[in-house]
């Protein structure tokens, strides 16, 4: 992902489906206005801890990746109402995920 993307702080939706991505840079946490992050059908194995900085994130779609775990900071995404994780390799989910409303 070009670094310039992470400087568009007013960005509200980011669609990165079907790109064969293996990771997401920690700078994603700089996208403070982001509401929707769609990462499905890639090869991502983990999400950066800075995902928790996305307090306005409403939708996180990580379906069809290679995720084995979620960062504990996911529970800091207080606006999250849709979390799509199907077809991954998750063995556990953070216990505090239930704190999301």
């Amino acid at each position: 992902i070009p670094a310039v993307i992470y400087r568009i702080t007013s960005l509200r939706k980011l669609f990165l489906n079907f790109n064969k991505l293996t990771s997401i840079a920690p700078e994603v946490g700089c996208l403070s206005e982001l509401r929707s992050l769609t990462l499905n059908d890639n090869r991502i194995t983990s999400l950066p801890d800075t995902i928790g900085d996305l307090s306005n994130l409403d939708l996180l779609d990580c379906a069809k990746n290679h995720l084995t775990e979620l960062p504990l900071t996911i529970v800091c995404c207080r606006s999250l109402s849709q979390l799509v994780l199907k077809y991954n390799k998750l063995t556990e989910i953070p216990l505090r995920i239930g704190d999301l409303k």
Side-chain angles (χ1 to χ4, degrees), residues 18-70:
F18 304 102
N19 282 295
K20 299 180 182 176
L21 299 174
T22 57
S23 64
I24 298 297
E27 289 80 7
V28 72
C30 296
L31 300 174
S32 58
E33 295 300 315
L34 200 63
R35 306 279 196 275
S36 177
L37 179 57
T38 307
L39 302 168
N40 59 299
D41 287 287
N42 280 292
R43 297 175 184 164
I44 300 168
T45 57
S46 64
L47 296 173
D49 287 337
T50 56
I51 202 86
D53 295 338
L54 302 176
S55 60
N56 291 310
L57 193 65
D58 176 58
L59 166 67
L60 176 58
D61 185 348
C62 294
K64 297 183 181 179
N65 274 285
H66 298 168
L67 293 174
T68 56
E69 63 182 3
L70 293 175

Side-chain angles (χ1 to χ4, degrees), residues 1 6 17 24 28 38 47 53 64 66 77 86 88 91 94 97 99:
I1 303 168
Y6 301 116
N17 328 12
I24 298 297
V28 72
T38 307
L47 296 173
D53 295 338
K64 297 183 181 179
H66 298 168
C77 297
K86 61 186 176 181
N88 275 287
T91 56
I97 201 88
D99 293 347

